[in-house]
Amino acid sequence: MQIGPDDLLLIIDVQNDFCPGGALAVSEGDAVVPVINRISRHFGHIALTQDWHPPGHRSFASSHPGSAPFESMAMPYGQQTLWPDHCVQGTAGAALHPELSTERAELLIRKGFRPEIDSYSAFYENDRTTPTGLAGYLRERGLKGIYLAGLATDYCVYYSAVDARRLGFEAVVIESGCRAIDLSGSLSAAWAGMQEAGVQRIGDLD
């Protein structure tokens, strides 16, 4: 696939807490790092996202006595999966993976920093209306094609890709550069949702 001058690589949440040994580890999460470092050379534009929760975030199971991680709870904005405490602002777990090449990134979007609402998508909080500002940035820069890689396929990559299409951008998920949580069939549901939204799926770039 030919990468053009108006295409951007969007690297989603490649953080220590989502890698082996982290608080919300994705199986083989660190395996995306060398893949992303390799494919990033194809792109003239790169942006990163970073989960960035304050302590006591409402999406943490620990904020709801009697609840356990991975249960679901109704929030004002809809159903919310409760997570182990993860990617807490300023902690080592919230840091980007130390081997991820970030020097050419032009933008870092932090999300999930509002205490009362979680954020999977790089474009919107989980209320689906509060924007991160990424769409405006891309439009002002004249960027049209969004290639996505990172963690996790069935949550933040999925929501970001679908929102990219909803906002009128082309969206391509690079499967070799992603890994999934796959919670109760969430991976197959995510691929189906992305296909329905018009997201393209490719194995690799090389």
Side-chain angles (χ1 to χ4, degrees), residues 13-58:
D13 296 359
V14 183
Q15 295 167 258
N16 292 329
D17 267 346
F18 296 130
C19 292
L24 185 51
V26 177
S27 180
E28 299 182 346
D30 55 349
V32 307
V33 174
V35 176
I36 292 172
N37 289 346
R38 170 174 54 80
I39 63 178
S40 65
R41 73 178 190 272
H42 293 282
F43 292 87
H45 306 285
I46 299 170
L48 304 159
T49 69
Q50 188 176 20
D51 229 17
W52 198 247
H53 298 305
H57 194 274
R58 293 291 289 171

Side-chain angles (χ1 to χ4, degrees), residues 77-146:
Y77 52 87
Q79 286 297 122
Q80 170 69 50
T81 299
L82 300 179
W83 304 108
D85 291 26
H86 67 282
C87 296
V88 175
Q89 296 171 359
T91 65
L96 297 169
H97 191 285
E99 294 177 16
L100 181 70
S101 296
T102 61
E103 61 273 6
R104 291 181 53 240
E106 299 170 345
L107 180 71
L108 172 64
I109 290 280
R110 284 176 167 167
K111 57 191 182 64
F113 55 80
R114 294 177 174 86
E116 299 299 321
I117 185 169
D118 205 4
S119 183
Y120 299 152
S121 172
F123 293 93
Y124 290 103
E125 304 280 24
N126 282 5
D127 61 2
R128 321 300 300 134
T129 58
T130 302
T132 65
L134 177 59
Y137 174 87
L138 296 173
R139 289 186 176 124
E140 287 200 1
R141 295 289 309 279
L143 302 173
K144 300 174 182 177
I146 313 302

